[in-house]
C-alpha cells in the first residue's frame, strides 16, 4: 500500500504542477477581450479558474499523502502544494477584503 500511495502522491503532484502551469499559460497566451475597464478580465478569469483546479489537486494530494502513511520526501511533497495554492488564495481573499474595506473608508 505504501508504494501505491507514494506513486499516487507523485502523480497528484504532477497534476498540480500541470494545473499551475496551465493557469500561467492561459494568462499569457489568451487575447484580451472586451473594451475599457474590463479589457483582459477573461485572462484573469482563466488564470483563477486553473489555479482553483490546482488548489483542488493540492487538497487531494494532501489527503492522499496523509492517508497513505508516506514518509520522508514524499510526505513533505504532499504538504507543499497545499501551502502554496492555499496561501495564494488566502492572500487573494485578504487583498480583496482589504480593497473593499479601503473603498468603504475612503468614499
Amino acid at each position: 500500500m505504501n508504494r501505491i500511495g507514494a506513486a499516487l502522491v507523485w502523480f497528484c503532484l504532477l497534476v498540480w504542477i500541470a494545473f499551475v502551469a496551465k493557469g500561467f499559460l492561459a494568462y499569457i497566451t489568451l487575447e484580451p477581450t472586451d473594451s475599457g475597464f474590463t479589457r483582459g478580465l477573461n485572462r484573469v478569469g482563466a488564470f483563477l479558474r486553473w489555479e482553483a483546479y490546482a488548489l483542488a489537486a493540492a487538497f487531494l494530494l494532501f489527503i492522499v499523502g496523509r492517508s497513505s502513511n508516506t514518509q520522508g520526501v514524499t510526505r513533505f511533497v504532499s504538504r507543499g502544494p497545499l501551502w502554496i495554492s492555499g496561501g495564494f488564495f488566502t492572500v487573494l481573499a485578504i487583498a480583496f477584503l482589504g480593497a473593499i474595506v479601503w473603498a468603504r473608508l475612503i468614499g
Side-chain angles (χ1 to χ4, degrees):
M1 177 64 183
N2 200 12
R3 285 186 179 180
I4 295 171
L8 199 54
V9 165
W10 290 104
F11 175 74
C12 288
L13 178 69
L14 291 176
V15 169
W16 176 78
I17 290 171
F19 284 160
V20 169
K22 178 63 177 168
F24 283 106
L25 284 174
Y27 182 77
I28 292 169
T29 59
L30 277 176
E31 289 294 325
T33 60
D34 226 346
S35 62
F37 179 73
T38 59
R39 181 169 174 81
L41 280 180
N42 63 321
R43 294 168 35 167
V44 174
F47 172 75
L48 290 177
R49 180 176 48 248
W50 285 105
E51 294 306 312
Y53 294 156
L55 180 62
F59 187 71
L60 180 66
L61 172 62
F62 178 75
I63 296 298
V64 168
R66 295 273 301 183
S67 64
S68 65
N69 295 327
T70 57
Q71 296 176 3
V73 175
T74 308
R75 187 167 181 95
F76 178 73
V77 163
S78 71
R79 295 177 182 168
L82 185 62
W83 282 100
I84 294 169
S85 290
F88 170 73
F89 276 102
T90 302
V91 167
L92 191 66
I94 289 170
F96 181 71
L97 292 175
I100 290 173
V101 169
W102 179 72
R104 292 298 239 165
L105 291 176
I106 294 299

